[in-house]
Short mmCIF file of all heavy atoms in Angstrom, two decimals:
data_model
loop_
_atom_site.label_atom_id
_atom_site.label_comp_id
_atom_site.label_asym_id
_atom_site.label_seq_id
_atom_site.Cartn_x
_atom_site.Cartn_y
_atom_site.Cartn_z
N MET A 1 140.26 88.60 78.17
CA MET A 1 141.44 87.88 78.63
C MET A 1 141.44 87.92 80.16
O MET A 1 141.19 88.94 80.77
CB MET A 1 142.70 88.56 78.08
CG MET A 1 143.96 87.85 78.45
SD MET A 1 145.46 88.63 77.82
CE MET A 1 145.43 88.14 76.13
N SER A 2 141.72 86.79 80.78
CA SER A 2 141.74 86.74 82.23
C SER A 2 142.91 87.56 82.75
O SER A 2 143.92 87.75 82.06
CB SER A 2 141.84 85.30 82.71
OG SER A 2 143.12 84.78 82.44
N GLU A 3 142.76 88.02 83.96
CA GLU A 3 143.78 88.89 84.54
C GLU A 3 145.12 88.17 84.64
O GLU A 3 146.16 88.72 84.29
CB GLU A 3 143.34 89.34 85.93
CG GLU A 3 144.33 90.28 86.59
CD GLU A 3 143.88 90.75 87.95
OE1 GLU A 3 142.66 90.91 88.15
OE2 GLU A 3 144.75 90.93 88.80
N ARG A 4 145.11 86.92 85.07
CA ARG A 4 146.37 86.18 85.23
C ARG A 4 147.08 85.99 83.90
O ARG A 4 148.30 86.15 83.79
CB ARG A 4 146.10 84.83 85.88
CG ARG A 4 147.34 84.04 86.18
CD ARG A 4 148.17 84.74 87.26
NE ARG A 4 149.57 84.50 87.00
CZ ARG A 4 150.56 85.24 87.47
NH1 ARG A 4 150.33 86.26 88.24
NH2 ARG A 4 151.80 84.96 87.19
N LYS A 5 146.31 85.68 82.86
CA LYS A 5 146.90 85.49 81.53
C LYS A 5 147.51 86.81 81.03
O LYS A 5 148.59 86.82 80.44
CB LYS A 5 145.84 84.99 80.56
CG LYS A 5 146.38 84.48 79.26
CD LYS A 5 145.27 83.97 78.38
CE LYS A 5 145.38 82.48 78.27
NZ LYS A 5 144.41 81.93 77.32
N ALA A 6 146.81 87.91 81.28
CA ALA A 6 147.32 89.21 80.86
C ALA A 6 148.60 89.56 81.61
O ALA A 6 149.56 90.05 81.01
CB ALA A 6 146.26 90.28 81.11
N VAL A 7 148.62 89.27 82.90
CA VAL A 7 149.81 89.56 83.70
C VAL A 7 150.99 88.73 83.19
O VAL A 7 152.11 89.24 83.05
CB VAL A 7 149.54 89.26 85.20
CG1 VAL A 7 150.83 89.30 86.00
CG2 VAL A 7 148.55 90.27 85.76
N GLU A 8 150.75 87.46 82.89
CA GLU A 8 151.83 86.61 82.40
C GLU A 8 152.39 87.10 81.07
O GLU A 8 153.59 87.08 80.85
CB GLU A 8 151.34 85.18 82.26
CG GLU A 8 151.14 84.48 83.59
CD GLU A 8 150.56 83.09 83.45
OE1 GLU A 8 150.31 82.65 82.31
OE2 GLU A 8 150.36 82.45 84.49
N SER A 9 151.51 87.55 80.18
CA SER A 9 152.00 88.03 78.89
C SER A 9 152.80 89.32 79.03
O SER A 9 153.82 89.50 78.37
CB SER A 9 150.84 88.20 77.90
OG SER A 9 150.01 89.26 78.28
N VAL A 10 152.36 90.21 79.92
CA VAL A 10 153.09 91.46 80.14
C VAL A 10 154.44 91.17 80.77
O VAL A 10 155.46 91.73 80.37
CB VAL A 10 152.27 92.43 81.02
CG1 VAL A 10 153.11 93.62 81.44
CG2 VAL A 10 151.04 92.89 80.27
N ILE A 11 154.47 90.27 81.74
CA ILE A 11 155.74 89.92 82.39
C ILE A 11 156.69 89.32 81.37
O ILE A 11 157.89 89.61 81.37
CB ILE A 11 155.50 88.95 83.57
CG1 ILE A 11 154.82 89.70 84.71
CG2 ILE A 11 156.82 88.36 84.05
CD1 ILE A 11 154.37 88.81 85.84
N GLY A 12 156.17 88.48 80.49
CA GLY A 12 157.00 87.89 79.45
C GLY A 12 157.63 88.94 78.55
O GLY A 12 158.83 88.87 78.23
N ARG A 13 156.85 89.93 78.16
CA ARG A 13 157.39 91.01 77.32
C ARG A 13 158.43 91.81 78.08
O ARG A 13 159.48 92.16 77.52
CB ARG A 13 156.27 91.92 76.83
CG ARG A 13 155.43 91.31 75.75
CD ARG A 13 154.58 92.35 75.06
NE ARG A 13 153.74 93.09 75.97
CZ ARG A 13 152.45 92.84 76.21
NH1 ARG A 13 151.86 91.84 75.60
NH2 ARG A 13 151.76 93.58 77.05
N MET A 14 158.17 92.12 79.35
CA MET A 14 159.11 92.89 80.15
C MET A 14 160.41 92.08 80.36
O MET A 14 161.50 92.65 80.32
CB MET A 14 158.49 93.25 81.50
CG MET A 14 157.34 94.22 81.40
SD MET A 14 156.44 94.41 82.94
CE MET A 14 157.53 95.48 83.84
N TYR A 15 160.28 90.79 80.58
CA TYR A 15 161.42 89.90 80.79
C TYR A 15 162.31 89.88 79.55
O TYR A 15 163.52 90.04 79.64
CB TYR A 15 160.89 88.50 81.10
CG TYR A 15 161.90 87.51 81.62
CD1 TYR A 15 162.15 87.40 82.97
CD2 TYR A 15 162.57 86.67 80.74
CE1 TYR A 15 163.05 86.47 83.45
CE2 TYR A 15 163.48 85.74 81.21
CZ TYR A 15 163.72 85.64 82.57
OH TYR A 15 164.62 84.73 83.04
N ARG A 16 161.69 89.68 78.37
CA ARG A 16 162.46 89.65 77.13
C ARG A 16 163.11 91.01 76.85
O ARG A 16 164.26 91.07 76.41
CB ARG A 16 161.56 89.25 75.96
CG ARG A 16 161.24 87.77 75.93
CD ARG A 16 160.54 87.36 74.66
NE ARG A 16 159.25 88.03 74.47
CZ ARG A 16 158.10 87.63 75.02
NH1 ARG A 16 158.07 86.56 75.78
NH2 ARG A 16 156.98 88.28 74.79
N ASP A 17 162.38 92.09 77.11
CA ASP A 17 162.93 93.42 76.90
C ASP A 17 164.14 93.65 77.79
O ASP A 17 165.16 94.18 77.35
CB ASP A 17 161.86 94.48 77.17
CG ASP A 17 162.37 95.88 76.95
OD1 ASP A 17 162.82 96.17 75.82
OD2 ASP A 17 162.33 96.70 77.90
N HIS A 18 164.05 93.25 79.05
CA HIS A 18 165.17 93.40 79.98
C HIS A 18 166.38 92.60 79.50
O HIS A 18 167.51 93.08 79.54
CB HIS A 18 164.75 92.95 81.38
CG HIS A 18 165.78 93.21 82.43
ND1 HIS A 18 166.82 92.35 82.68
CD2 HIS A 18 165.94 94.26 83.28
CE1 HIS A 18 167.56 92.84 83.64
NE2 HIS A 18 167.05 94.00 84.02
N LEU A 19 166.13 91.39 79.04
CA LEU A 19 167.20 90.53 78.55
C LEU A 19 167.89 91.15 77.33
O LEU A 19 169.12 91.16 77.23
CB LEU A 19 166.65 89.15 78.21
CG LEU A 19 167.65 88.10 77.76
CD1 LEU A 19 168.69 87.84 78.84
CD2 LEU A 19 166.92 86.81 77.41
N ILE A 20 167.11 91.71 76.43
CA ILE A 20 167.68 92.33 75.22
C ILE A 20 168.46 93.59 75.58
O ILE A 20 169.57 93.81 75.09
CB ILE A 20 166.56 92.64 74.21
CG1 ILE A 20 166.01 91.33 73.64
CG2 ILE A 20 167.08 93.54 73.10
CD1 ILE A 20 164.74 91.50 72.84
N ARG A 21 167.88 94.43 76.46
CA ARG A 21 168.53 95.70 76.80
C ARG A 21 169.82 95.50 77.60
O ARG A 21 170.82 96.17 77.33
CB ARG A 21 167.59 96.59 77.62
CG ARG A 21 166.54 97.27 76.79
CD ARG A 21 165.74 98.30 77.60
NE ARG A 21 164.99 97.66 78.68
CZ ARG A 21 165.21 97.88 79.99
NH1 ARG A 21 166.14 98.72 80.38
NH2 ARG A 21 164.51 97.26 80.90
N THR A 22 169.80 94.60 78.59
CA THR A 22 170.95 94.47 79.48
C THR A 22 171.84 93.29 79.15
O THR A 22 172.99 93.24 79.61
CB THR A 22 170.48 94.32 80.95
OG1 THR A 22 169.74 93.11 81.07
CG2 THR A 22 169.64 95.50 81.37
N GLY A 23 171.32 92.30 78.44
CA GLY A 23 172.11 91.12 78.12
C GLY A 23 172.18 90.12 79.26
O GLY A 23 173.00 89.21 79.25
N ARG A 24 171.36 90.31 80.28
CA ARG A 24 171.35 89.38 81.41
C ARG A 24 169.91 89.17 81.88
O ARG A 24 169.03 89.97 81.59
CB ARG A 24 172.20 89.87 82.57
CG ARG A 24 171.72 91.19 83.15
CD ARG A 24 172.58 91.62 84.34
NE ARG A 24 172.12 92.90 84.83
CZ ARG A 24 171.05 93.08 85.62
NH1 ARG A 24 170.32 92.06 85.98
NH2 ARG A 24 170.71 94.28 86.03
N LEU A 25 169.72 88.10 82.62
CA LEU A 25 168.40 87.81 83.17
C LEU A 25 168.12 88.74 84.34
O LEU A 25 169.05 89.15 85.05
CB LEU A 25 168.32 86.36 83.63
CG LEU A 25 168.50 85.31 82.55
CD1 LEU A 25 168.54 83.93 83.18
CD2 LEU A 25 167.41 85.40 81.53
N PRO A 26 166.85 89.10 84.57
CA PRO A 26 166.55 89.97 85.71
C PRO A 26 166.74 89.24 87.03
O PRO A 26 166.53 88.03 87.12
CB PRO A 26 165.08 90.34 85.49
CG PRO A 26 164.54 89.33 84.57
CD PRO A 26 165.67 88.82 83.77
N LYS A 27 167.14 89.99 88.04
CA LYS A 27 167.29 89.42 89.38
C LYS A 27 165.91 89.20 89.97
O LYS A 27 164.92 89.72 89.48
CB LYS A 27 168.10 90.37 90.26
CG LYS A 27 169.51 90.55 89.78
CD LYS A 27 170.26 91.51 90.66
CE LYS A 27 171.67 91.70 90.13
NZ LYS A 27 172.40 92.71 90.89
N SER A 28 165.85 88.43 91.04
CA SER A 28 164.55 88.11 91.64
C SER A 28 163.82 89.37 92.11
O SER A 28 162.60 89.47 91.98
CB SER A 28 164.71 87.13 92.79
OG SER A 28 165.47 87.69 93.84
N ARG A 29 164.56 90.33 92.65
CA ARG A 29 163.95 91.58 93.10
C ARG A 29 163.34 92.33 91.91
O ARG A 29 162.23 92.86 91.99
CB ARG A 29 164.98 92.45 93.80
CG ARG A 29 164.40 93.73 94.38
CD ARG A 29 165.45 94.57 95.05
NE ARG A 29 166.42 94.97 94.04
CZ ARG A 29 167.68 95.27 94.29
NH1 ARG A 29 168.15 95.21 95.50
NH2 ARG A 29 168.49 95.64 93.32
N GLU A 30 164.06 92.37 90.79
CA GLU A 30 163.56 93.04 89.59
C GLU A 30 162.35 92.32 89.04
O GLU A 30 161.40 92.96 88.57
CB GLU A 30 164.66 93.10 88.53
CG GLU A 30 165.84 93.96 88.91
CD GLU A 30 167.02 93.81 87.98
OE1 GLU A 30 167.20 92.71 87.40
OE2 GLU A 30 167.78 94.78 87.83
N LEU A 31 162.35 90.99 89.11
CA LEU A 31 161.24 90.20 88.62
C LEU A 31 159.98 90.46 89.45
O LEU A 31 158.88 90.60 88.90
CB LEU A 31 161.60 88.72 88.62
CG LEU A 31 160.69 87.79 87.86
CD1 LEU A 31 160.58 88.21 86.41
CD2 LEU A 31 161.20 86.37 87.95
N LYS A 32 160.14 90.55 90.75
CA LYS A 32 158.99 90.85 91.63
C LYS A 32 158.43 92.23 91.32
O LYS A 32 157.22 92.44 91.34
CB LYS A 32 159.40 90.75 93.10
CG LYS A 32 159.61 89.33 93.55
CD LYS A 32 160.03 89.25 95.00
CE LYS A 32 160.33 87.81 95.37
NZ LYS A 32 160.80 87.70 96.75
N GLU A 33 159.30 93.19 91.04
CA GLU A 33 158.86 94.54 90.70
C GLU A 33 158.09 94.52 89.38
O GLU A 33 157.07 95.19 89.24
CB GLU A 33 160.07 95.47 90.59
CG GLU A 33 159.70 96.91 90.36
CD GLU A 33 160.92 97.81 90.33
OE1 GLU A 33 161.83 97.60 91.15
OE2 GLU A 33 160.95 98.70 89.47
N MET A 34 158.57 93.73 88.40
CA MET A 34 157.87 93.59 87.13
C MET A 34 156.46 93.02 87.35
O MET A 34 155.50 93.48 86.75
CB MET A 34 158.63 92.64 86.19
CG MET A 34 159.85 93.20 85.58
SD MET A 34 160.58 91.93 84.51
CE MET A 34 162.20 92.59 84.28
N GLU A 35 156.36 92.02 88.23
CA GLU A 35 155.07 91.40 88.50
C GLU A 35 154.11 92.40 89.13
O GLU A 35 152.93 92.43 88.79
CB GLU A 35 155.24 90.19 89.41
CG GLU A 35 155.88 89.01 88.73
CD GLU A 35 156.14 87.85 89.67
OE1 GLU A 35 155.97 87.99 90.90
OE2 GLU A 35 156.53 86.77 89.16
N LYS A 36 154.60 93.21 90.06
CA LYS A 36 153.75 94.22 90.70
C LYS A 36 153.22 95.20 89.66
O LYS A 36 152.03 95.54 89.66
CB LYS A 36 154.53 94.99 91.76
CG LYS A 36 154.73 94.25 93.05
CD LYS A 36 155.47 95.14 94.03
CE LYS A 36 155.87 94.38 95.28
NZ LYS A 36 156.65 95.23 96.20
N LYS A 37 154.10 95.68 88.79
CA LYS A 37 153.70 96.65 87.78
C LYS A 37 152.68 96.04 86.81
O LYS A 37 151.69 96.67 86.45
CB LYS A 37 154.91 97.14 86.99
CG LYS A 37 155.80 98.08 87.75
CD LYS A 37 156.97 98.51 86.90
CE LYS A 37 157.91 99.42 87.65
NZ LYS A 37 159.06 99.82 86.81
N ALA A 38 152.91 94.80 86.40
CA ALA A 38 152.01 94.14 85.47
C ALA A 38 150.64 93.89 86.11
O ALA A 38 149.61 94.08 85.48
CB ALA A 38 152.62 92.83 85.00
N LYS A 39 150.64 93.47 87.36
CA LYS A 39 149.38 93.20 88.06
C LYS A 39 148.58 94.49 88.21
O LYS A 39 147.37 94.51 87.99
CB LYS A 39 149.64 92.57 89.41
CG LYS A 39 148.38 92.17 90.15
CD LYS A 39 148.70 91.24 91.27
CE LYS A 39 147.49 90.86 92.06
NZ LYS A 39 146.49 90.14 91.33
N LYS A 40 149.26 95.57 88.56
CA LYS A 40 148.58 96.86 88.72
C LYS A 40 147.98 97.32 87.39
O LYS A 40 146.85 97.77 87.34
CB LYS A 40 149.56 97.91 89.24
CG LYS A 40 148.92 99.24 89.50
CD LYS A 40 149.90 100.24 90.05
CE LYS A 40 149.24 101.58 90.24
NZ LYS A 40 150.17 102.60 90.71
N ALA A 41 148.74 97.17 86.30
CA ALA A 41 148.25 97.56 84.99
C ALA A 41 147.04 96.73 84.58
O ALA A 41 146.08 97.24 84.02
CB ALA A 41 149.36 97.44 83.95
N ALA A 42 147.07 95.41 84.87
CA ALA A 42 145.95 94.54 84.53
C ALA A 42 144.71 94.91 85.32
O ALA A 42 143.59 94.92 84.78
CB ALA A 42 146.33 93.09 84.78
N GLU A 43 144.87 95.22 86.60
CA GLU A 43 143.73 95.61 87.43
C GLU A 43 143.12 96.91 86.92
O GLU A 43 141.90 97.05 86.85
CB GLU A 43 144.17 95.77 88.88
CG GLU A 43 144.45 94.46 89.58
CD GLU A 43 145.05 94.64 90.96
OE1 GLU A 43 145.35 95.79 91.35
OE2 GLU A 43 145.21 93.63 91.65
N GLU A 44 143.97 97.88 86.57
CA GLU A 44 143.45 99.16 86.06
C GLU A 44 142.71 98.96 84.75
O GLU A 44 141.69 99.58 84.52
CB GLU A 44 144.61 100.15 85.89
CG GLU A 44 145.18 100.64 87.20
CD GLU A 44 146.40 101.52 87.02
OE1 GLU A 44 146.84 101.70 85.86
OE2 GLU A 44 146.92 102.01 88.02
N SER A 45 143.24 98.09 83.91
CA SER A 45 142.59 97.79 82.63
C SER A 45 141.23 97.15 82.85
O SER A 45 140.24 97.51 82.21
CB SER A 45 143.48 96.88 81.80
OG SER A 45 142.82 96.53 80.61
N ASP A 46 141.16 96.18 83.78
CA ASP A 46 139.90 95.53 84.10
C ASP A 46 138.89 96.53 84.64
O ASP A 46 137.70 96.49 84.32
CB ASP A 46 140.09 94.40 85.10
CG ASP A 46 140.70 93.17 84.49
OD1 ASP A 46 140.76 93.09 83.24
OD2 ASP A 46 141.13 92.29 85.25
N ASN A 47 139.36 97.45 85.47
CA ASN A 47 138.47 98.46 86.05
C ASN A 47 137.91 99.38 84.96
O ASN A 47 136.74 99.76 85.00
CB ASN A 47 139.19 99.27 87.11
CG ASN A 47 139.47 98.48 88.37
OD1 ASN A 47 138.86 97.44 88.59
ND2 ASN A 47 140.40 98.94 89.16
N ARG A 48 138.74 99.74 83.99
CA ARG A 48 138.28 100.59 82.90
C ARG A 48 137.24 99.88 82.06
O ARG A 48 136.25 100.48 81.65
CB ARG A 48 139.45 101.02 82.01
CG ARG A 48 140.14 102.25 82.53
CD ARG A 48 141.17 102.76 81.55
NE ARG A 48 142.44 102.63 82.23
CZ ARG A 48 143.51 102.01 81.76
NH1 ARG A 48 143.49 101.48 80.57
NH2 ARG A 48 144.61 101.94 82.46
N LYS A 49 137.45 98.59 81.81
CA LYS A 49 136.50 97.82 81.02
C LYS A 49 135.17 97.66 81.76
O LYS A 49 134.11 97.67 81.15
CB LYS A 49 137.06 96.43 80.69
CG LYS A 49 138.16 96.46 79.67
CD LYS A 49 138.70 95.08 79.40
CE LYS A 49 139.87 95.10 78.45
NZ LYS A 49 140.43 93.76 78.25
N ALA A 50 135.23 97.51 83.07
CA ALA A 50 134.02 97.32 83.88
C ALA A 50 133.18 98.58 83.91
O ALA A 50 131.95 98.49 83.99
CB ALA A 50 134.41 96.90 85.29
N ARG A 51 133.80 99.73 83.84
CA ARG A 51 133.06 101.00 83.90
C ARG A 51 132.30 101.28 82.60
O ARG A 51 131.33 102.02 82.61
CB ARG A 51 134.01 102.16 84.19
CG ARG A 51 134.34 102.26 85.66
CD ARG A 51 135.09 103.53 85.93
NE ARG A 51 136.49 103.14 86.14
CZ ARG A 51 137.52 103.91 85.92
NH1 ARG A 51 137.37 105.12 85.48
NH2 ARG A 51 138.74 103.48 86.15
N LYS A 52 132.76 100.72 81.51
CA LYS A 52 132.14 101.03 80.21
C LYS A 52 130.83 100.32 80.03
O LYS A 52 130.32 99.50 80.53
CB LYS A 52 133.07 100.64 79.06
CG LYS A 52 134.20 101.61 78.95
CD LYS A 52 135.05 101.28 77.73
CE LYS A 52 136.17 102.30 77.60
NZ LYS A 52 136.96 102.07 76.44
#
């Protein structure tokens, strides 16, 4: 899976989870934080796959 596609799917799950937990849409600052976390996780995953 490409990194961008993986990041988008993770952000989507985080977005839906936030909506369910709080009952409101995430603010732009929260959304940017979600993107950073998802991008970092995707990069780490890619690095682990490359080492194998």
Side-chain angles (χ1 to χ4, degrees):
M1 183 181 283
S2 70
E3 182 179 326
R4 184 66 213 160
K5 192 178 249 186
V7 169
E8 288 176 0
S9 68
V10 170
I11 289 172
R13 285 195 304 262
M14 293 170 78
Y15 192 89
R16 284 189 298 277
D17 181 59
H18 186 275
L19 183 60
I20 290 169
R21 283 188 297 115
T22 64
R24 62 178 178 79
L25 297 174
K27 295 179 182 176
S28 63
R29 183 181 64 206
E30 294 169 330
L31 194 57
K32 287 179 184 177
E33 185 177 319
M34 286 180 196
E35 288 176 352
K36 283 182 188 177
K37 287 180 181 179
K39 185 165 178 63
K40 183 178 178 183
E43 288 173 355
E44 289 175 357
S45 176
D46 285 347
N47 289 343
R48 274 187 244 126
K49 287 179 184 177
R51 279 189 255 154
K52 286 185 178 182

